[in-house]
């Protein structure tokens, strides 16, 4: 009897373990045959023939992404107030002014605070600006001792001494290699950043904290997840930037890396005020095609990060073929605005090739709108950026955002903003 029980227990235990083990596919020959939805064909099957028709088709695609992937952000408005809390007139060796601004978003009797960090070149002119969330708090992006240490929830990381979900002084400047602020300033761009955990702490709490708590409506399977929350927060920062006289609001670039690269794409799709979008190594649920089933999959991402998307997205766990959209269509929602997508050779989890194919498949929409789109149909060599209205590079190395990436983003922005002025 005992033996039967032990055997049954062993079988159950190993079956459970087996069910949980996820082995990503990194073999091109094992990619299932797949058909990408055509962004230039209406849901009805009719072709999209011109710019006016594209706007209607865009709405169809947008609605599908809202309902089935990221979730719908509430339409209600919040009241925004701002207070400058610190200023360094001599940041970046005297080349920039660094400001910290406390933004408060209020809805009825509920409110949240976002701490915005802003570096602006002392050019005396309106400047183009990169707006991006950061992963670990504003104090981690620069060694400037005047930047406040975040008091918001941060993920524990015992290796660096974070054990009670609080950051501290020791983390100052720890992410500065991802934020080459002096170089960005030297090229005439401003940088604005906000800690993504201020907008919505990155853990599954049933949406009781962060921006979600501002809206009290009943949630359903298409309600917004965290990515939509972070993107919405970036739009509220844009509301503030529109009032900053040194910022050229027609040249605000929304940028993000990894989960924040997914966020940047959704922010660009939801808010046309972002004149350009940069998405670095955004992978699954970002710029990479889902239907290739290469690297991270829909089931995997919904399991590891159940709060990132709306719950409808879970319908496509292990059923990517049923998805009514794929991520190339997310890219089309940014058209005709310039879009730059970048990947790293060793970051297979993010599917560099699937990201490239996504750019290729988004290109016809740009072309219909009279833009160059994405030139070429072959993967470029390492560090050979493709520069159409959609730009792309693959660089050697791992999952990260570094000075090389930023240099390419700025080259691309120079090119496109120059074109706009000519
Ligand atoms: C994980 C996750 C990715 C995400 C990345 C990040 O690797 O699986 O989808 O992009 O974290 O944000 O760092």
């Amino acid at each position: 009897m005992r033996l039967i029980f032990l055997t049954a227990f062993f079988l159950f235990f190993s079956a459970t373990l087996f069910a949980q083990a996820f082995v990503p596919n990194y073999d091109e020959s094992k990619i299932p045959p797949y058909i990408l939805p055509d962004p230039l064909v209406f849901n009805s099957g009719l072709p999209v023939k011109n710019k006016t028709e594209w706007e209607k088709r865009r709405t169809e695609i947008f609605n599908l992404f809202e309902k089935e992937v990221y979730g719908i952000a509430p339409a209600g408005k919040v009241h925004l107030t701002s207070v400058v809390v610190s200023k360094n007139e001599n940041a970046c060796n005297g080349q920039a002014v660094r400001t910290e601004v406390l933004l408060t978003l209020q809805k009825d009797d509920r409110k949240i605070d976002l701490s915005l960090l802003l570096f602006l070149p002392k050019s005396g002119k309106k400047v183009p600006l990169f707006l991006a969330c950061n992963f670990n708090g504003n104090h981690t992006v620069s060694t400037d001792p005047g930047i406040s240490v975040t008091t918001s929830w941060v993920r524990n990381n015992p290796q660096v001494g974070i054990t009670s979900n609080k950051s501290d002084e020791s983390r100052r400047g720890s992410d500065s290699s991802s934020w080459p602020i002096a170089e960005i300033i030297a090229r005439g761009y401003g940088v604005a950043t906000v800690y993504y955990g201020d907008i919505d702490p990155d853990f599954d709490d049933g949406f009781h904290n962060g921006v979600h708590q501002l809206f009290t409506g009943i949630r359903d399977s298409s309600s917004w997840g965290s990515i939509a929350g972070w993107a919405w927060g970036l739009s509220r920062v844009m509301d503030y930037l529109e009032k900053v006289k040194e910022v050229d609001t027609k040249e605000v670039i929304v940028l993000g890396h990894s989960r924040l690269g997914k966020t940047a794409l959704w922010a660009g799709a939801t808010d046309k005020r972002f004149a350009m979008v940069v998405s670095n190594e955004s992978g699954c649920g970002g710029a990479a095609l889902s239907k290739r089933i290469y690297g991270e999959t829909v089931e995997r991402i919904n399991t590891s990060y159940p709060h990132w998307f709306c719950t409808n997205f879970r319908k496509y766990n292990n059923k990517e073929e049923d998805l009514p959209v794929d991520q190339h269509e997310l890219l089309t929602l940014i058209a005709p605005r310039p879009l730059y997508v970048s990947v790293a050779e060793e970051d297979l989890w993010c599917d560099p090739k699937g990201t490239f194919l996504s750019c290729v498949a988004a290109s016809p929409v740009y072309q219909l709108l009279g833009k160059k789109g994405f030139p070429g149909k072959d993967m470029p060599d390492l560090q050979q950026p493709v520069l159409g209205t959609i730009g792309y590079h693959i660089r050697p190395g791992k999952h990260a955002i570094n000075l090389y990436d930023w240099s390419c983003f700025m080259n691309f922005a120079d090119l496109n903003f120059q074109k706009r002025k000519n």
Side-chain angles (χ1 to χ4, degrees):
M1 186 62 188
R2 179 181 281 181
L3 190 65
I4 295 173
F5 176 76
L6 280 176
T7 317
F9 180 75
F10 175 75
L11 285 176
F12 172 76
F13 186 68
S14 30
T16 315
L17 260 188
F18 184 72
Q20 279 173 358
F22 171 74
V23 184
N25 173 40
Y26 291 135
D27 182 346
E28 286 288 326
S29 73
K30 296 213 172 100
I31 291 174
Y34 63 90
I35 299 169
L36 291 182
D38 188 336
L40 290 179
V41 174
F42 283 104
N43 293 342
S44 65
L46 290 172
V48 177
K49 295 194 288 289
N50 51 45
K51 290 184 189 180
T52 320
E53 289 190 359
W54 164 250
E55 278 310 313
K56 293 191 188 123
R57 172 63 178 146
R58 186 186 187 278
T59 306
E60 283 187 352
I61 297 175
F62 182 82
N63 290 344
L64 284 171
F65 273 105
E66 266 199 321
K67 280 227 256 339
E68 304 293 314
V69 184
Y70 302 103
I72 304 169
K77 292 232 181 323
V78 290
H79 183 66
L80 170 74
T81 49
S82 61
V83 181
V84 172
V85 287
S86 82
K87 206 166 203 157
N88 175 358
E89 303 275 357
N90 271 310
C92 303
N93 289 324
Q95 302 305 303
V97 176
R98 189 269 299 142
T99 319
E100 275 180 303
V101 188
L102 189 69
L103 302 178
T104 301
L105 307 182
Q106 181 146 9
K107 175 105 180 90
D108 307 326
D109 57 349
R110 299 171 301 280
K111 64 181 174 76
I112 66 160
D113 289 331
L114 313 180
S115 175
L116 177 69
L117 177 65
L118 195 57
F119 286 85
L120 292 170
K122 286 186 188 166
S123 63
K125 291 187 286 189
K126 281 188 180 292
V127 292
L129 173 130
F130 287 95
L131 167 63
C133 285
N134 66 72
F135 274 90
N136 295 302
N138 293 348
H139 63 299
T140 64
V141 310
S142 158
T143 51
D144 182 333
I147 301 172
S148 313
V149 173
T150 184
T151 53
S152 300
W153 178 95
V154 293
R155 181 165 302 96
N156 280 340
N157 183 351
Q159 278 178 335
V160 300
I162 299 182
T163 51
S164 52
N165 301 116
K166 284 276 164 251
S167 194
D168 62 29
E169 186 58 43
S170 69
R171 304 306 297 145
R172 186 174 298 285
S174 53
D175 288 342
S176 53
S177 65
S178 308
W179 294 89
I181 294 168
E183 285 82 355
I184 300 170
I185 293 293
R187 293 204 38 181
Y189 290 85
V191 196
T193 184
V194 60
Y195 170 46
Y196 83 134
D198 279 4
I199 304 176
D200 188 31
D202 191 1
F203 62 91
D204 185 12
D205 77 324
F207 301 107
H208 294 301
N209 62 18
V211 292
H212 300 95
Q213 65 171 301
L214 293 175
F215 300 90
T216 51
I218 296 166
R219 292 184 60 87
D220 64 21
S221 59
S222 62
S223 295
W224 56 339
S226 290
I227 292 176
W230 298 322
W232 183 89
L234 287 169
S235 286
R236 302 296 67 80
V237 175
M238 184 68 191
D239 296 342
Y240 170 75
L241 292 173
E242 287 190 315
K243 299 182 208 142
V244 178
K245 64 174 190 325
E246 294 89 347
V247 174
D248 185 341
T249 46
K250 294 209 165 54
E251 295 191 342
V252 174
I253 305 157
V254 66
L255 173 147
H257 166 61
S258 208
R259 69 199 66 183
L260 299 175
K262 308 180 208 297
T263 302
L265 290 169
W266 188 236
T270 51
D271 193 337
K272 290 185 180 175
R273 291 175 298 172
F274 294 121
M276 183 180 297
V277 178
V278 176
S279 181
N280 190 64
E281 298 162 23
S282 55
C284 181
L289 295 175
S290 300
K291 291 181 194 278
R292 270 167 53 85
I293 318 190
Y294 184 102
E296 189 171 26
T297 63
V298 170
E299 191 217 8
R300 182 63 190 184
I301 203 165
N302 278 328
T303 309
S304 313
Y305 306 100
H307 56 296
W308 283 4
F309 301 90
C310 67
T311 48
N312 273 342
F313 196 40
R314 299 180 196 167
K315 292 192 291 194
Y316 307 102
N317 286 354
N318 289 319
K319 289 201 184 76
E320 280 87 347
E321 68 279 13
D322 290 351
L323 267 168
V325 282
D326 208 335
Q327 298 304 117
H328 62 302
E329 290 179 293
L330 174 61
L331 308 189
T332 69
L333 297 179
I334 291 153
R337 292 164 291 160
L339 162 68
Y340 197 91
V341 172
S342 39
V343 291
E345 188 186 19
E346 291 174 47
D347 187 13
L348 297 180
W349 184 242
C350 261
D351 190 7
K353 183 162 180 200
T355 303
F356 164 80
L357 292 172
S358 191
C359 296
V360 174
S363 189
V365 172
Y366 277 81
Q367 284 157 353
L368 180 82
L369 300 178
K371 300 287 174 185
K372 192 169 182 186
F374 192 71
K377 295 230 176 328
D378 297 315
M379 279 272 280
D381 289 338
L382 295 177
Q383 292 184 303
Q384 296 297 319
V386 177
L387 300 171
T389 333
I390 306 175
Y392 172 95
H393 76 245
I394 176 163
R395 62 153 171 79
K398 297 195 196 319
H399 189 65
I401 180 166
N402 63 22
L403 179 57
Y404 173 78
D405 299 316
W406 276 96
S407 309
C408 295
F409 307 153
M410 290 187 279
N411 293 344
F412 183 72
D414 284 355
L415 255 173
N416 279 288
F417 289 156
Q418 225 35 61
K419 272 188 218 152
R420 194 171 73 79
K421 280 168 194 152
N422 290 337

